[in-house]
């Protein structure tokens, strides 16, 4: 697949989606958000893709935020529409994919960049990464889910401090906060993401999709995560992956999941 601002590469069950506007530190303009939607959709629909890795091109930035030049003269209604369309097309879309998404944060992840990383199912970072939600320094607030996902990941007090000060935290602080799971050097970042993807791919993709649905349900308004867990747990018993996983265990062999 070819895009203007996104690179798309599928190999050995892993699709790597790279935001590719390095001259603008990979800032998310509308076109890039649409292209990212199309790229994630293509990965989700590809039966061979078991894990998606999202990262930024260049050595400086994952994504330095929404493209400020694009919304600087927006009205109230255009501002609301920007947030709602972006959330639907990209941020909620990624969070609800049934294919696991790992964000490999390779530099600045600010504003919409951190919001994109937080939409992924989990995050790793290179040691030069800097993360923050600087929107209030521009007179606006995070609009791509940041006011919700940051407190979920780091706790309300830390999230308020990051949002109110508009400051950046480094990779080690992000790890202390639970915002990223692992920190490594820049050269090792994608290999680490691929190693984690490899561990994920040993397991049942159907069960992983069910787990994503159950975990997400606990964070949705009007949904009961425990009820969703029961539903998804039950459904697993009707899958070929469950048959294979349990039989392989009983026969003392490695499972070869059909992914159904
Ligand atoms: N939107 C649009 N353009 C952006 C951008 C953004 N969020 N972030 C960076 N860019 C552009 C810069 O305008 C510059 O473009 P130019 O060369 O055409 O002038 C280019 O990317 C390089 O950025 P620059 O600011 O020169 O790099 P730096 O190393 O001096 O600073 C940052 C890096 C990340 C600290 C700085 O770019 C920044 O503060 N960006 C905005 C972060 C932000 O507020 N994001 C939230 C948006 S809601």
């Amino acid at each position: 697949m070819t895009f203007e601002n996104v690179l798309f590469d599928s190999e050995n069950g892993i699709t790597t989606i790279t935001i590719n506007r390095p001259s603008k530190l990979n800032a998310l303009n509308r076109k890039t958000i649409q292209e990212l939607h199309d790229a994630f959709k293509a990965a989700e629909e590809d039966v061979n893709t078991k894990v998606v890795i999202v990262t930024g091109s260049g050595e400086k930035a994952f994504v330095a935020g929404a493209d400020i030049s694009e919304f600087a003269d927006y009205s109230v209604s255009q501002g609301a529409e920007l947030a709602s369309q972006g959330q639907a097309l990209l941020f909620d879309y990624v969070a609800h994919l049934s294919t696991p998404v790992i964000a490999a944060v390779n530099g600045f992840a600010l504003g919409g960049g951190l919001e994109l990383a937080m939409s992924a199912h989990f995050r790793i970072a290179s040691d030069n990464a800097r993360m923050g939600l600087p929107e209030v320094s521009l007179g606006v607030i995070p609009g791509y889910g940041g006011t919700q996902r940051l407190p979920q990941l780091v706790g309300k007090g830390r999230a308020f401090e990051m949002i109110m000060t508009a400051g950046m935290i480094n990779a080690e602080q992000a790890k202390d906060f639970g915002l990223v799971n692992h920190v490594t050097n820049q050269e090792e970042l994608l290999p680490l993401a691929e190693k984690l993807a490899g561990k994920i791919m040993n397991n049942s993709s159907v069960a992983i999709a069910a787990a994503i649905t159950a975990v997400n349900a606990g964070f949705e308004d009007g949904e009961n995560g425990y009820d969703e867990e029961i539903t998804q747990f039950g459904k697993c018993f009707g899958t070929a992956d469950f048959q294979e996983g349990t039989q392989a265990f009983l026969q003392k062999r490695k499972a070869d999941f059909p992914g159904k």
Side-chain angles (χ1 to χ4, degrees):
M1 295 198 80
T2 50
F3 300 99
E4 194 179 307
N5 299 328
V6 169
L7 303 174
F8 187 92
D9 176 62
S10 291
E11 215 177 338
N12 302 325
I14 302 172
T15 290
T16 304
I17 294 174
T18 307
I19 302 117
N20 188 33
R21 280 185 92 205
S23 68
K24 297 289 175 191
L25 302 185
N26 304 324
L28 297 176
N29 59 5
R30 279 186 184 259
K31 184 170 181 63
T32 308
I33 287 179
Q34 180 64 53
E35 288 188 350
L36 281 168
H37 171 84
D38 295 343
F40 278 107
K41 186 164 188 280
E44 175 86 340
E45 288 172 354
D46 171 21
V47 289
N48 295 317
T49 294
K50 301 297 181 198
V51 179
V52 177
I53 296 170
V54 60
T55 193
S57 77
E59 296 195 342
K60 209 168 157 183
F62 174 72
V63 169
D67 191 320
I68 298 166
S69 66
E70 219 176 43
F71 63 72
D73 61 356
Y74 273 12
S75 65
V76 170
S77 60
Q78 285 173 309
E81 190 260 354
L82 181 74
S84 74
Q85 206 182 48
Q87 288 191 19
L89 268 180
L90 184 57
F91 300 86
D92 283 354
Y93 187 75
V94 167
H96 291 96
L97 284 185
S98 61
T99 312
V101 180
I102 305 172
V105 178
N106 58 308
F108 288 115
L110 303 175
L114 181 55
E115 289 169 304
L116 177 59
M118 292 193 295
S119 296
H121 298 116
F122 65 90
R123 290 142 293 287
I124 62 174
S126 55
D127 48 19
N128 65 320
R130 299 284 177 276
M131 284 160 253
L133 293 179
E135 284 86 348
V136 298
S137 71
L138 299 165
V140 67
I141 67 167
Y144 289 147
T147 65
Q148 306 305 301
R149 292 196 178 98
L150 188 62
Q152 284 165 12
L153 285 164
V154 307
K156 201 170 163 186
R158 286 166 166 167
F160 266 137
E161 182 179 337
M162 285 177 68
I163 291 169
M164 289 174 182
T165 62
M168 294 184 208
I169 58 171
N170 64 29
E172 281 304 328
Q173 283 172 297
K175 192 173 158 210
D176 284 348
F177 281 13
L179 188 51
V180 304
N181 294 3
H182 307 280
V183 176
T184 184
N185 59 42
Q186 202 154 28
E187 302 74 60
E188 287 302 315
L189 184 66
L190 284 183
L192 175 60
E194 284 158 13
K195 187 173 157 198
L196 292 164
K199 287 188 179 182
I200 293 170
M201 285 191 286
N202 287 333
N203 302 315
S204 159
S205 56
V206 185
I208 287 169
I212 292 172
T213 303
V215 171
N216 278 342
F219 295 92
E220 308 286 349
D221 260 355
E223 282 197 48
N224 183 310
Y226 292 97
D227 288 346
E228 188 60 43
E229 183 180 278
I230 291 167
T231 304
Q232 295 297 328
F233 183 80
K235 274 191 183 169
C236 290
F237 285 71
T239 67
D241 274 11
F242 174 74
Q243 293 300 322
E244 169 61 12
T246 48
Q247 286 309 307
F249 177 81
L250 295 171
Q251 293 164 10
K252 300 190 186 307
R253 62 176 172 81
K254 191 174 181 300
D256 180 15
F257 289 109
K260 302 191 274 204

